[in-house]
Amino acid sequence: MRQPHAVGFSRKKWRIAKRIYIAKADAESTPFLRRRRRRRLSLSLSPSLASSMENPPQAPPFGFGDRRPGALGDLCVLPDEVICSILDYLSPSDVARLSCVSSAMYILCNEEPLWMSLCLNSKRSDKLLQYRGSWKETTLYLENLPTECIETCRKRLHFDGFNSLFLYRRLYRCHTTLNGFSMDSGNVERKNDISLEEFRHEYDGKKPVLLTGLADTWPAKTSWTIDQLLCKYGDTPFRISQRSSRKILMKLKDYVSYTKVQHDEDPLYIFDDNFGEAAPGLLKDYRVPHLFQEDFFDVLDFEQRPPYRWLIIGPERSGASWHVDPALTSAWNTLLCGRKRWALYPPGKVPLGVTVHVNEDDGDVNVQGPSSLQWWLDFYPLLADEDKPIECTQLPGETIFVPSGWWHCILNLETTVAVTQNFVNSKNFEFVCLDMAPGYCHKGVSRAGLLAVDGGMSGEAEMVDLRQFDTLNHSDSTRKEKRLRTQHGDQMSNGGAANGASKRNCIGQREMREWLFKLWVGKPEMRELLWKGACLALNTEKWLKCLAEICAFYKLPYPMDSERLPVGTGSNPVYLIGDHVVKIFAEEGLENAMYSLGTELEFYNLVDQVSSPLRNNIPDVLASGLLYLEDDESLTVLPWDGQKVPDIISNYNLIPPKCSVHGFPFGVWSKKRYEYTKAGMSMSESICSASCSRIWPFIITKRCKGKIYAQLRDTLSIQDTLDLAAFLGEQLRNLHMLPCPSFVSQSFSDIGQTVESQVTNHQVETHLSSSKVTAEWNIFLGTLSRKKMTLASRLTRWGDPIPSALIEKADEYIPDDLTKLLSSYKDYPKEGCQPSWIHSDIMDDNIHMEPRSIDCYNNRISPRVGCMDNGNDGSELGQSWRPSHILDFSDLSVGDPLYDLIPIHLDVFRGDSYLLKQLLQNYKIPLPGGQLQHQSLRDIKYQRLSYRAMCYCILHEENVLAAIFSIWKDLRRAESWEEVEQTVWGELNEYKGFP
């Protein structure tokens, strides 16, 4: 390819290109730098580049005209960077075809940065990646093209008359070296042999510092060279950092080979949070320095805590673009080999060229900006001296400390090897809690995101201002937690420094609640600080006021200090007060809360009426009602048993349409209608519909003795686990045999018509024929139909670890006519064959266990839920446990009983088919399907229980697919949903109903 200086520019064209560049830079920056930028356009870091820009080459002597208008047609009005961005969205085959359109398009479609992006986002990139000399050749190899096609991709690109400043600059970044960079030691303080007291007083939470001597005794200081690592771990796959949502792995020997031949604008580098599991020997080569030993996340089990340590290996020109570390944690980074250039800005000072995007729905923050090398080349020289970042060059053996919330950008000046860890301590704890709080009001990354949007403030003034959000009127209309957990390494992947952006909160509300409670129990001396953090993250001050009012009304004891934090891992606050459990319904706003409590109370009433054996294995309800905030800001308790409509609710126009105000107006069928309506809403619409935050339903139940299964999972014997599976089979049978409440079909008479209009608007061929199904089944299928209409966008939003190849096939896998899912129900069109009650949420924290011998429990209360292994529960190592109760019926619904197996199999059993078989043996009532009937081969799949279960997983409102692809990691390479179906649910097809 012709070198950059040989590409001809007339001085007129050069001036035009220069104006375009300045205009683009102005659009991406703050106003106060624009005039200064025009005066400082010279790029002083690289003499060769500055010289070529100040003295542009003359036009070629042969007088070739400009090819651009003829070669691009109407597209010539678009800047090259826009055209290249569009090409990123095409498939490799489409890019190959487009390259044949014209000479200009041939150049644009054969750029290595384009093919790098196409390769890393390829459907087959989840294999171990092996670079084959060029990204185009690597992509074509992954596409399984013949060898003769691959060999032609090395053709040189050479066209006179096509000039592109954008491509020229990118080509320069691909081939430049950093030897010419003039880097001094920088202005970050360097300290040696610093004490813990000095570190906490001078630097922790305040400013960065370079520390020497912390790694002097590490084996890694001498053994972590490329050659030695290659010798020990050459065949070990490590995770690669790149701007792609996919998880890319390369063997170390293949990665080192890549670094020696690559000429990438933003080279790949190893950024692996799983290196300790992939190569355990590496963990023995270093230890956490004494200055950073305090880490509040260490109370969590390894599989529970967010990713916190990374192995980093990168070649010259690689690095991390501008970002703030996830969850506003602090970090230390020790360099063992090579040199790194750091640039840092304090919290709230967004770097030039970086844009912060805040999600209007949930406050998540996405940061967009140039690569590290591009920022140093294109943006750093434009800064006035007073606007330049704090910077330094890190040398081997040095450790840099990055405080919470500080922006930083790293450029590898040569091949480097480093290790880094993030941590939470007393200095950054409140900011970490604030960052994890849900809702747009916190704007995700508090000190980085909020200040970038709303203006500047810092330190204590900022925290005081942000605490104003923590009032009694704070909105509860937050999104529902996605509760099916995935395995470590996938559940909290957020990019962080790898992608140059803190994309998501570090852990969810469910994990946050458990983490804070473990800290509360384990660090009682720090409860004042922990309470401040809990108020920010969980709004605990508000809920404690509500709890105190409920306790006073029902003459319950006031919560003790150890009972001030909510327990459990759901989204609704739950408190254990003596022998009582108090649950306040707040998830997704008042309307959802009313239906949750109303359905639960209707269910308990029905269980008592029919004397179901389920009664012995669910908690006793002691009281229920509504707590509401008066105009004078006082709290009032109003008892409510679920029957009739309270006057306070009538004022908010929440009475279900066409439903009687007597009986259970917020019972299960009204809830089904609400679920149907909500299934067609966007997240923002759903939030708007749940805007009331002055009324909170609540329920008080009798406290069960023992522990939840989540606390005991790893200590139970095989027999205890088998007994649990048998218990769940029996209780599901009792639940599914309960009669359903009377169905008022007039209340749903408009559903079929509504579905048809929604289908037309979304151009989705989903057929619901009321003549095929009873009205009860019609509402169930109608809800599924509405979920199917938004399926593609929902799966795409969830992304990894769901394979993109399967996301594209999801609509095809699920039938257009959803009534076919029920074709196994021989009698479902007939009167009397109704859907069943379903719990919908039987997970490991909703199953209660008690010791088989409970003599020691007489007349005493066991420790509260969440208190693990504190030695106060009367149990001993090797104690045998038996299941006693199923908890939390707020997610009750009506539908296919098969639905209840999804959370049990994926969360409780973790995919163990033997436990699923044990459950089915004790279920003992038919699940239609499994036994193939006389139908055409085309319709046989509709008879498979496994097929129906897989469809329900795909259409599920929660991301259960992430749990599936985390449990069965090999399925990430599956090429069809049928393969996933048979692996996960194949055991169902052997079920025959009655033994």
Side-chain angles (χ1 to χ4, degrees):
M1 186 171 183
R2 177 171 291 191
Q3 295 300 313
H5 65 270
V7 180
F9 273 80
S10 68
R11 292 193 176 276
K12 179 179 179 182
K13 291 178 180 177
W14 180 262
R15 288 195 299 271
I16 294 174
K18 189 174 179 180
R19 291 193 193 105
I20 293 174
Y21 169 72
I22 293 175
K24 183 176 184 296
D26 285 348
E28 296 176 347
S29 63
T30 53
F32 75 93
L33 287 177
R34 292 175 182 167
R35 290 188 300 273
R36 189 175 290 121
R37 176 181 297 107
R38 293 185 177 92
R39 296 193 302 266
R40 302 175 60 88
L41 185 60
S42 174
L43 302 183
S44 58
L45 280 181
S46 174
S48 61
L49 181 59
S51 175
S52 64
M53 293 187 67
E54 293 169 359
N55 302 288
Q58 300 299 315
F62 301 106
F64 290 104
D66 187 0
R67 289 177 177 267
R68 187 180 178 86
L72 295 178
D74 292 341
L75 292 179
C76 70
V77 299
L78 299 177
D80 290 340
E81 50 265 49
V82 174
I83 296 177
C84 290
S85 297
I86 295 173
L87 294 178
D88 266 335
Y89 289 95
L90 302 182
S91 66
S93 58
D94 289 336
V95 170
R97 293 187 184 97
L98 193 58
S99 68
C100 301
V101 170
S102 67
S103 58
M105 198 59 76
Y106 184 82
I107 294 177
L108 295 170
C109 290
N110 278 281
E111 271 236 300
E112 273 291 276
L114 168 63
W115 283 96
M116 180 182 184
S117 176
L118 294 175
C119 181
L120 297 178
N121 289 286
S122 169
K123 299 174 185 177
R124 296 180 175 86
S125 65
D126 51 1
K127 301 177 182 177
L128 284 175
L129 184 63
Q130 187 175 14
Y131 185 68
R132 309 188 71 82
S134 75
W135 285 111
K136 183 175 181 181
E137 186 169 333
T138 305
T139 307
L140 297 179
Y141 177 82
L142 291 175
E143 295 293 323
N144 297 320
L145 290 180
T147 307
E148 56 269 19
C149 297
I150 298 177
E151 291 174 349
T152 61
C153 70
R154 293 187 179 274
K155 184 177 179 181
R156 296 179 62 190
L157 307 180
H158 176 194
F159 290 103
D160 293 305
F162 181 80
N163 303 314
S164 172
L165 178 61
F166 171 74
L167 297 184
Y168 165 45
R169 296 174 66 86
R170 190 150 80 173
L171 180 65
Y172 177 85
R173 291 193 293 270
C174 289
H175 291 271
T176 190
T177 63
L178 304 185
N179 296 330
F181 269 56
S182 176
M183 293 294 189
D184 56 23
S185 59
N187 50 11
V188 175
E189 289 186 53
R190 275 182 160 84
K191 287 287 183 176
N192 183 35
D193 195 23
I194 187 175
S195 67
L196 179 60
E197 291 72 21
E198 183 182 359
F199 171 72
R200 288 179 174 175
H201 184 263
E202 296 292 334
Y203 303 103
D204 195 4
K206 297 179 180 179
K207 58 183 177 180
V209 61
L210 264 174
L211 303 164
T212 59
L214 297 183
D216 287 350
T217 60
W218 292 4
K221 187 173 182 181
T222 56
S223 64
W224 281 24
T225 64
I226 295 298
D227 291 339
Q228 293 189 60
L229 291 175
L230 194 59
C231 181
K232 291 183 179 179
Y233 305 105
D235 289 319
T236 303
F238 291 100
R239 187 166 186 173
I240 302 301
S241 167
Q242 33 66 41
R243 296 179 179 234
S244 169
S245 60
R246 295 179 177 276
K247 182 177 180 179
I248 308 296
L249 296 174
M250 289 182 76
K251 289 183 178 181
L252 182 60
K253 63 182 181 181
D254 292 332
Y255 175 75
V256 173
S257 297
Y258 155 80
T259 62
K260 293 178 179 179
V261 298
Q262 60 84 25
H263 284 286
D264 290 333
E265 176 188 18
D266 189 11
L268 300 181
Y269 69 110
I270 291 176
F271 193 86
D272 194 341
D273 63 298
N274 200 46
F275 75 95
E277 292 65 54
L282 293 175
L283 297 179
K284 301 176 182 179
D285 292 341
Y286 79 97
R287 62 183 180 87
V288 178
H290 69 283
L291 302 178
F292 316 117
Q293 291 286 334
E294 183 183 47
D295 187 356
F296 288 179
F297 273 143
D298 60 13
V299 300
L300 295 176
D301 296 334
F302 178 76
E303 64 274 4
Q304 292 177 309
R305 70 179 298 171
Y308 67 103
R309 62 188 180 200
W310 289 266
L311 170 69
I312 309 174
I313 303 176
E316 180 186 18
R317 302 194 320 280
S318 65
S321 55
W322 283 105
H323 65 282
V324 174
D325 281 345
L328 295 183
T329 52
S330 300
W332 59 267
N333 180 302
T334 299
L335 184 63
L336 285 314
C337 173
R339 295 181 302 141
K340 287 178 180 286
R341 186 66 178 178
W342 289 74
L344 306 100
Y345 280 114
K349 187 174 179 62
V350 181
L352 176 66
V354 174
T355 305
V356 179
H357 299 277
V358 182
N359 187 299
E360 295 285 347
D361 291 335
D362 54 20
D364 279 348
V365 170
N366 183 38
V367 177
Q368 292 183 343
S371 68
S372 176
L373 176 62
Q374 184 179 0
W375 187 86
W376 283 101
L377 285 174
D378 294 355
F379 292 91
Y380 179 87
L382 306 178
L383 298 172
D385 290 341
E386 62 270 21
D387 297 321
K388 287 185 176 178
I390 299 172
E391 51 187 303
C392 65
T393 299
Q394 185 185 17
L395 303 177
E398 293 184 328
T399 300
I400 188 170
F401 165 70
V402 181
S404 167
W406 276 66
W407 289 91
H408 49 289
C409 170
I410 307 98
L411 179 65
N412 290 320
L413 303 180
E414 54 197 43
T415 299
T416 61
V417 179
V419 63
T420 184
Q421 289 195 188
N422 289 64
F423 60 92
V424 182
N425 63 9
S426 54
K427 291 291 187 179
N428 62 18
F429 175 71
E430 289 186 74
F431 287 116
V432 172
C433 290
L434 180 63
D435 179 69
M436 295 181 186
Y440 177 71
C441 64
H442 298 295
K443 293 182 171 53
V445 184
S446 58
R447 289 205 284 178
L450 181 114
L451 296 181
V453 176
D454 287 344
M457 55 182 167
S458 60
E460 291 300 319
E462 174 193 338
M463 184 58 75
V464 170
D465 184 84
L466 291 172
R467 283 177 184 149
Q468 294 176 5
F469 291 121
D470 183 32
T471 65
L472 197 60
N473 290 318
H474 177 65
S475 173
D476 302 307
S477 55
T478 57
R479 61 180 177 178
K480 183 177 180 180
E481 275 301 308
K482 296 180 174 61
R483 300 190 58 230
L484 275 181
R485 291 164 299 223
T486 61
Q487 302 300 312
H488 177 73
D490 299 303
Q491 63 181 10
M492 288 164 275
S493 174
N494 54 36
N499 292 330
S502 254
K503 290 185 178 180
R504 294 193 176 278
N505 291 340
C506 194
I507 57 178
Q509 288 280 286
R510 172 181 178 156
E511 293 82 11
M512 167 65 85
R513 196 185 305 276
E514 185 174 4
W515 176 50
L516 288 178
F517 181 71
K518 286 187 175 182
L519 288 172
W520 191 265
V521 173
K523 298 180 182 292
E525 72 282 1
M526 302 189 67
R527 284 184 177 172
E528 182 178 355
L529 174 64
L530 295 176
W531 181 253
K532 292 179 181 179
C535 289
L536 291 168
L538 303 176
N539 220 1
T540 48
E541 185 172 0
K542 163 186 170 177
W543 298 124
L544 184 61
K545 292 178 182 178
C546 294
L547 176 66
E549 195 66 33
I550 295 171
C551 290
F553 184 87
Y554 290 101
K555 297 181 172 54
L556 301 180
Y558 188 81
M560 296 186 297
D561 187 56
S562 60
E563 298 172 333
R564 292 168 65 196
L565 280 189
V567 302
T569 52
S571 299
N572 294 312
V574 178
Y575 293 88
L576 301 183
I577 309 297
D579 291 333
H580 306 88
V581 179
V582 180
K583 178 178 180 179
I584 303 173
F585 293 84
E587 184 178 82
E588 296 190 88
L590 175 60
E591 189 171 13
N592 182 76
M594 288 297 296
Y595 285 114
S596 296
L597 178 58
T599 299
E600 190 166 0
L601 294 175
E602 182 183 36
F603 167 77
Y604 280 111
N605 181 72
L606 177 64
V607 170
D608 287 336
Q609 282 185 357
V610 301
S611 300
S612 169
L614 190 63
R615 190 69 194 83
N616 299 321
N617 300 106
I618 59 178
D620 295 326
V621 177
L622 304 178
S624 59
L626 306 176
L627 182 73
Y628 62 93
L629 193 65
E630 301 277 14
D631 292 337
D632 62 356
E633 302 302 311
S634 62
L635 289 166
T636 301
V637 174
L638 175 67
W640 182 57
D641 62 359
Q643 302 187 55
K644 300 183 180 180
V645 178
D647 291 339
I648 187 68
I649 296 299
S650 301
N651 297 335
Y652 284 94
N653 298 319
L654 292 181
I655 301 176
K658 299 184 181 181
C659 287
S660 171
V661 295
H662 302 286
F664 287 90
F666 292 93
V668 68
W669 286 116
S670 296
K671 183 179 182 181
K672 287 302 298 182
R673 183 187 181 95
Y674 170 70
E675 289 175 354
Y676 167 81
T677 303
K678 190 173 62 172
M681 291 183 178
S682 66
M683 183 182 292
S684 58
E685 289 173 329
S686 179
I687 288 177
C688 290
S689 69
S691 57
C692 176
S693 58
R694 299 179 66 86
I695 304 175
W696 303 280
F698 65 88
I699 188 171
I700 304 175
T701 58
K702 185 176 181 180
R703 182 174 177 178
C704 300
K705 299 177 180 180
K707 291 186 175 184
I708 60 173
Y709 172 65
Q711 298 172 345
L712 301 170
R713 174 191 294 276
D714 297 330
T715 63
L716 292 182
S717 67
I718 296 176
Q719 186 58 51
D720 288 347
T721 305
L722 291 174
D723 290 346
L724 170 63
F727 169 83
L728 292 177
E730 294 169 3
Q731 301 314 314
L732 280 186
R733 180 179 70 245
N734 295 333
L735 174 63
H736 295 162
M737 291 184 69
L738 279 175
C740 288
S742 300
F743 178 79
V744 183
S745 59
Q746 291 84 356
S747 301
F748 303 93
S749 58
D750 59 335
I751 280 184
Q753 190 176 23
T754 304
V755 170
E756 292 298 333
S757 65
Q758 292 289 336
V759 168
T760 301
N761 291 340
H762 288 80
Q763 297 180 344
V764 177
E765 295 181 2
T766 303
H767 308 291
L768 288 180
S769 173
S770 58
S771 62
K772 288 186 177 182
V773 298
T774 61
E776 292 89 341
W777 284 114
N778 207 12
I779 180 65
F780 172 72
L781 293 176
T783 304
L784 292 180
S785 175
R786 299 193 111 195
K787 292 177 181 178
K788 187 176 188 295
M789 287 186 283
T790 59
L791 178 61
S793 61
R794 187 167 66 253
L795 296 185
T796 301
R797 184 175 71 249
W798 286 338
D800 188 69
I802 308 172
S804 60
L806 295 187
I807 292 178
E808 296 172 1
K809 298 178 180 178
D811 267 317
E812 177 185 350
Y813 178 77
I814 297 174
D816 292 333
D817 184 356
L818 292 180
T819 61
K820 291 183 178 180
L821 291 178
L822 303 179
S823 62
S824 307
Y825 283 83
K826 292 182 180 179
D827 299 324
Y828 82 86
K830 297 181 181 178
E831 193 67 32
C833 183
Q834 298 180 347
S836 303
W837 281 95
I838 52 178
H839 184 286
S840 303
D841 195 30
I842 301 180
M843 301 177 68
D844 61 5
D845 56 347
N846 285 336
I847 301 170
H848 216 274
M849 311 282 289
E850 63 182 24
R852 290 189 184 275
S853 175
I854 60 172
D855 293 341
C856 62
Y857 272 75
N858 290 337
N859 300 320
R860 66 188 291 261
I861 299 300
S862 65
R864 55 182 290 173
V865 174
C867 183
M868 298 183 61
D869 301 324
N870 59 5
N872 297 321
D873 63 354
S875 62
E876 299 178 358
L877 187 65
Q879 171 72 60
S880 180
W881 296 78
R882 67 181 180 87
S884 60
H885 292 82
I886 295 178
L887 311 176
D888 191 4
F889 288 82
S890 59
D891 282 330
L892 276 167
S893 187
V894 172
D896 189 337
L898 196 58
Y899 225 82
D900 265 336
L901 293 182
I902 294 175
I904 292 177
H905 187 43
L906 299 182
D907 186 74
V908 180
F909 296 164
R910 299 287 171 87
D912 190 326
S913 61
Y914 188 77
L915 294 178
L916 178 61
K917 182 178 181 180
Q918 183 75 5
L919 178 150
L920 294 173
Q921 287 177 351
N922 289 268
Y923 184 62
K924 297 181 181 179
I925 56 177
L927 281 171
Q931 303 179 48
L932 301 183
Q933 303 172 6
H934 298 291
Q935 294 206 13
S936 66
L937 292 176
R938 183 185 61 183
D939 295 330
I940 282 179
K941 69 177 181 179
Y942 303 121
Q943 296 294 319
R944 298 195 305 260
L945 283 174
S946 61
Y947 174 71
R948 197 157 85 241
M950 193 69 242
C951 287
Y952 291 157
C953 288
I954 298 173
L955 292 170
H956 209 284
E957 64 273 9
E958 297 181 7
N959 189 7
V960 301
L961 295 177
I964 288 176
F965 291 105
S966 296
I967 296 172
W968 292 275
K969 290 182 171 58
D970 290 343
L971 289 179
R972 298 181 189 184
R973 292 185 285 273
E975 297 185 357
S976 69
W977 284 108
E978 285 78 10
E979 183 180 346
V980 180
E981 169 198 332
Q982 290 303 315
T983 300
V984 179
W985 299 110
E987 184 64 39
L988 290 178
N989 296 329
E990 303 300 321
Y991 181 63
K992 307 301 181 184
F994 291 102

